């Protein structure tokens, strides 16, 4: 018995349960010593006290009822109760008490029971319930459909959002699944993928379409994750169903916008390129390729320096580094700058720049327009305006000169005519009247020459002057021309000499106009020569089979820059009313145009004080062979 008692005591001491015996009124008769280890109480402190004294106040009434019920139960009956029990530190522990009614047993005469501390188990259960509640709350609050599937494919849980997405109620989904809501075209594929991933215990990520009640479709994204127990056995999966309709619409709208923008950029007539703050090119449209002669693959992700002249590269870099660009993005048109093509040539451009910021990085979009043609047209317009203004001034000066040139002979005509008409010198002054008549005739001839020149140059400008071409003897034409200016040369004391090449061929020209050309040139040479001067006229064959007339004088000459002015109609080098040499300014322009009508050219070489040399060149087709005359 002593040995058995020792065994019993050892078992009590080693047990995690507290063993005790209660009287009929629920007081401790015996408490095992391990109560010290479990609750921190001494056995002697508990013996004689009711069990309810150690129970939580909220649990005492229920505990007392249970004890009374057990005491009234038949011998040997047992039951279990749970309540909270105070430990020696004043804390409360969850306990599970199992009691057996042995009050009528003569050897025990009490209710035998054991009290087990189940605080950790109760707390774990509480945390589990809280976790499940939290899981369900989160699942119900999630903006996506949530579900759980068992190992055999049976639905264990679905949230409200899952029912909203599929259009099926939760009971139907739990019973039949949710594939009834899948678009018929997507369902076979989805069922196959679903079955394969569930059987293999693999995650699944796929897209599908749900079919609405009115034939509408909604794009969804399905994602599942396998669930395994502690031993790694597959327990099914949990998954989510995300409505991607808005994302798909946004993505499609973005693709449409990108395609539209791309088509606009690619179809644009202007060059459009995008550059970052480091001067790296990000985009280069076809118009830019054509403008710069450079393929997009050759410049994209390379520096913009290739398109900028060397003298403005650093200025461009400094512009992109300006701190105020962070505050005030550049925009608008920048003109009067140059760009460089792939072959190195420079050309003027008009540049419009706009800035945008993407993820903290600033990009610049530039629209570049080649204004080479516009600049050319502007320059031509300016030249035309200047020419029009110069022509207007020339006409004004010409009219002033012409007024003088016309009034002088007209005054002579009118004056001498009145003298003759009124016989102011008497009836016997026949010789004087004859002299006046001669002056009248000369003045009339002078006026007729001016009018003829004006009419001739007008016909040439209108394209209505026709040449009467025929074989012409050069020597005869030169002789006639010298005769016509002989009186003028004699009055000014200027010697005119001929320098003719031997055996000159005949020319096919308009004889009248050729004589007009030579007379105009000889008359100018004599007019601008000083008294005692020398004028030489030469005729010779030219290189290439052509023919040349050269008129050379030793007169006042003119500056090289004045030569183009002398060749313009209605213009004179000296247009002042006090000029030394009279004339309308039509001689040289008319002569030049008559030469050009014959397919030739007129060249003037002159210098102030060194005289002037005028060369008339006629093409080879104007030179005739003597065989042609005979044939």
């Amino acid at each position: 018995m002593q040995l058995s008692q020792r065994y019993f005591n050892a078992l009590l001491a080693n047990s995690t349960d507290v063993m005790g015996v209660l009287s009929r009124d629920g007081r401790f008769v015996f408490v095992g010593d391990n109560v010290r280890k479990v609750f921190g109480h001494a056995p002697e402190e508990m013996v004689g006290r009711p069990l309810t004294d150690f129970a939580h106040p909220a649990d005492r009434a229920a505990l007392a009822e249970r004890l009374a019920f057990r005491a009234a139960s038949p011998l040997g009956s047992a039951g279990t109760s749970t309540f909270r029990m105070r430990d020696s530190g004043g804390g409360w522990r969850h306990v599970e008490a199992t009691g057996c009614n042995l009050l009528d047993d003569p050897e025990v005469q009490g209710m035998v029971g054991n009290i087990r501390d189940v605080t950790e188990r109760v707390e774990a259960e509480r945390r589990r319930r809280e976790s499940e509640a939290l899981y369900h709350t989160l699942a119900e609050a999630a903006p996506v459909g949530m579900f759980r599937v068992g190992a055999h494919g049976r639905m264990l849980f679905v949230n409200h959002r899952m029912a909203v997405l599929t259009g099926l109620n939760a009971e139907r989904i739990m019973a039949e699944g949710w594939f009834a809501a899948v678009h018929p075209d997507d369902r076979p594929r989805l069922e196959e993928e679903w079955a394969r991933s569930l059987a293999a215990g693999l995650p699944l990520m796929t897209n599908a379409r749900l079919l609405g009640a009115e034939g509408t479709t909604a794009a969804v994204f399905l994602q599942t994750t396998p669930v395994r127990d502690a031993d790694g056995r597959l327990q099914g999966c949990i998954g989510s169903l995300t409505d991607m309709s808005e994302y798909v619409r946004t993505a499609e709208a973005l693709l449409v916008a990108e395609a539209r923008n791309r088509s606009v950029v690619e179809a644009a007539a202007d060059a459009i390129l995008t550059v970052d703050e480091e001067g790296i090119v990000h985009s280069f449209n076809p118009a830019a390729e054509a403008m710069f002669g450079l393929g997009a693959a050759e410049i994209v992700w390379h520096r913009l320096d290739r398109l900028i002249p060397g003298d403005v590269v650093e200025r461009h870099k400094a512009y992109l580094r300006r701190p105020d660009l962070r505050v005030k993005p550049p925009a608008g048109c920048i003109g009067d700058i140059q760009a460089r093509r792939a072959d190195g040539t420079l050309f003027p451009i008009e540049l419009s720049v706009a800035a945008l910021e993407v993820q903290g990085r600033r990009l610049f979009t530039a629209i570049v327009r080649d204004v080479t043609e516009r600049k050319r047209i502007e320059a031509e317009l300016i030249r035309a305006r200047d020419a029009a203004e110069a022509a207007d001034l020339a006409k004004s000066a010409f009219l002033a000169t012409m007024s003088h040139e016309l009034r002088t002979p007209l005054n002579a005509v009118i004056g001498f005519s009145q003298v003759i008409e009124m016989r102011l010198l008497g009836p016997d002054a026949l010789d004087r009247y004859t002299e006046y008549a001669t002056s009248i005739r000369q003045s009339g001839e002078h006026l007729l020459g001016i009018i003829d020149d004006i009419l001739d140059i007008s016909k040439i400008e209108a394209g209505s002057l026709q040449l009467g071409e025929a074989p012409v003897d050069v020597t005869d034409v030169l002789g006639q021309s010298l005769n016509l200016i002989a009186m003028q040369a004699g009055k000014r004391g200027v010697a005119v000499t001929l320098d003719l090449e031997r055996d000159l061929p005949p020319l096919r020209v308009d004889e009248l106009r050729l004589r007009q050309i030579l007379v105009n040139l000889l008359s100018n040479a004599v007019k601008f020569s000083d008294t005692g001067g020398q004028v030489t006229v030469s005729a010779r064959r030219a290189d290439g089979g052509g023919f040349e007339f050269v008129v050379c004088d030793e007169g006042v000459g003119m500056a090289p820059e004045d030569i183009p002015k002398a060749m313009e109609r209605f213009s004179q080098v000296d247009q002042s009313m006090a000029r030394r040499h009279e004339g309308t300014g039509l001689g040289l322009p008319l002569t030049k145009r008559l030469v050009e009508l014959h397919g030739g050219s007129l060249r003037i070489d002159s210098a102030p004080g060194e005289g002037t040399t005028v060369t008339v060149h006629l093409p080879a087709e104007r030179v005739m062979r003597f065989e042609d005359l005979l044939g």
Side-chain angles (χ1 to χ4, degrees), residues 475-511:
T475 304
D476 288 346
V477 174
L478 281 172
Q480 295 171 17
S481 301
L482 289 177
N483 289 335
L484 291 174
I485 58 98
M487 182 178 297
Q488 177 187 359
K491 287 182 177 180
R492 294 191 58 83
V494 176
V496 180
T497 59
L498 280 172
D499 180 14
L500 303 180
E501 191 176 87
R502 296 183 60 184
D503 300 327
L504 290 176
L507 302 176
R508 180 175 294 279
V509 294
D510 186 322
E511 181 176 357

Side-chain angles (χ1 to χ4, degrees), residues 274-296:
T274 305
V275 185
D276 62 19
E277 292 176 300
E278 303 301 323
I280 303 299
V281 178
H282 288 240
S283 66
F284 205 70
N285 74 334
E289 294 180 326
M291 181 180 295
F292 290 93
L294 196 66

Side-chain angles (χ1 to χ4, degrees), residues 135-454:
Y135 165 76
H136 281 277
T137 301
L138 292 175
E140 290 296 338
V144 298
M146 301 288 293
F147 59 88
R148 182 173 180 180
V149 180
H152 300 291
R154 182 172 176 272
M155 283 284 177
L156 303 178
F157 167 81
V158 293
N159 69 345
H160 176 70
R161 181 62 179 167
M162 187 75 178
V164 172
L165 281 177
T166 59
L168 307 174
N169 58 50
E171 291 76 12
R172 183 177 177 185
I173 296 175
M174 293 290 289
E176 303 175 8
W178 58 277
F179 286 167
V182 178
H183 195 286
D185 294 342
D186 296 347
R187 186 167 180 173
R189 171 187 58 84
L190 186 60
E191 288 178 339
E192 181 183 351
E193 293 178 353
W194 173 275
R196 186 170 57 248
S197 66
L198 193 61
L202 296 174
L204 173 63
M205 288 187 293
T206 187
N207 295 314
R209 289 172 295 168
L210 300 182
L211 189 61
E214 298 180 358
T216 59
T217 58
V220 294
F221 176 68
L222 172 64
Q223 184 173 11
T224 66
T225 302
V227 176
R228 299 181 184 276
D229 62 13
D231 296 326
R233 291 187 294 269
L234 185 65
Q235 300 298 309
C237 70
I238 59 174
S240 64
L241 198 65
T242 305
D243 185 357
M244 303 295 290
S245 300
E246 187 64 29
Y247 170 79
V248 170
R249 284 193 293 269
T250 303
E252 289 177 349
L254 180 60
L255 290 175
V256 170
E258 288 180 348
R260 182 173 60 248
N261 293 339
R262 188 181 304 110
S263 64
V264 170
V265 169
E266 291 182 354
D270 294 330
I272 302 177
L273 55 152
T274 305
V275 185
D276 62 19
E277 292 176 300
E278 303 301 323
I280 303 299
V281 178
H282 288 240
S283 66
F284 205 70
N285 74 334
E289 294 180 326
M291 181 180 295
F292 290 93
L294 196 66
E298 301 176 72
I299 189 64
V300 172
W301 301 116
H302 292 77
R303 300 194 68 85
L304 186 66
D305 298 358
R306 294 181 62 182
L307 311 179
I308 303 176
D311 58 338
V312 298
V313 169
E314 290 303 321
R315 187 174 60 185
H316 167 74
K317 292 179 179 178
Y319 176 78
L320 293 183
R321 291 193 295 265
R322 280 169 44 187
D324 62 321
L325 294 185
R326 291 284 180 184
V327 180
K328 183 180 180 182
C333 181
I334 306 172
D336 296 329
I337 60 176
Q338 287 191 321
R340 181 171 58 195
R341 303 188 199 275
D343 58 7
T345 58
L346 301 181
F347 64 102
I349 63 171
E350 185 177 82
L351 179 66
S352 296
V353 179
L356 66 154
E357 191 166 315
V358 180
Q359 297 180 346
R361 189 173 189 182
R362 188 167 289 269
L363 297 176
F364 301 91
T365 298
I367 301 177
V368 183
R369 177 169 297 174
D370 186 349
V371 294
T372 303
E373 183 64 17
R374 192 178 75 188
K375 292 289 185 182
R376 183 189 65 78
I377 293 173
E378 288 176 355
E380 289 183 355
L381 289 175
I382 291 173
R383 286 195 296 269
R385 182 200 65 193
D386 293 343
E389 291 177 351
D392 187 61
L393 292 174
K395 286 181 179 179
S396 298
F398 170 75
L399 291 175
T401 302
M402 188 61 65
S403 175
H404 174 74
E405 291 294 330
L406 293 174
R407 285 177 179 275
T408 299
L410 282 175
N411 287 336
V413 170
I414 294 171
F416 289 135
S417 298
Q418 288 177 342
V419 170
I420 297 174
E421 180 183 16
M422 298 174 63
R423 298 186 180 184
L424 296 178
L425 300 179
D428 299 327
L430 184 60
D431 293 337
R432 295 289 298 278
Y433 291 143
T434 302
E435 181 181 343
Y436 290 165
T438 301
S439 296
I440 291 173
R441 179 185 57 79
Q442 291 174 344
S443 297
E445 291 174 350
H446 179 67
L447 286 173
L448 180 61
I450 293 174
I451 293 171
D452 285 342
D453 285 348
I454 294 174

Side-chain angles (χ1 to χ4, degrees), residues 22 24-27 51-52 62-72 81 111:
L22 299 177
R24 188 176 294 276
D25 59 359
R27 295 177 182 273
L51 174 60
T52 53
L63 180 60
E65 289 181 4
R66 293 295 299 174
L67 288 173
F69 174 79
R70 186 57 50 206
S81 298
M111 291 183 290

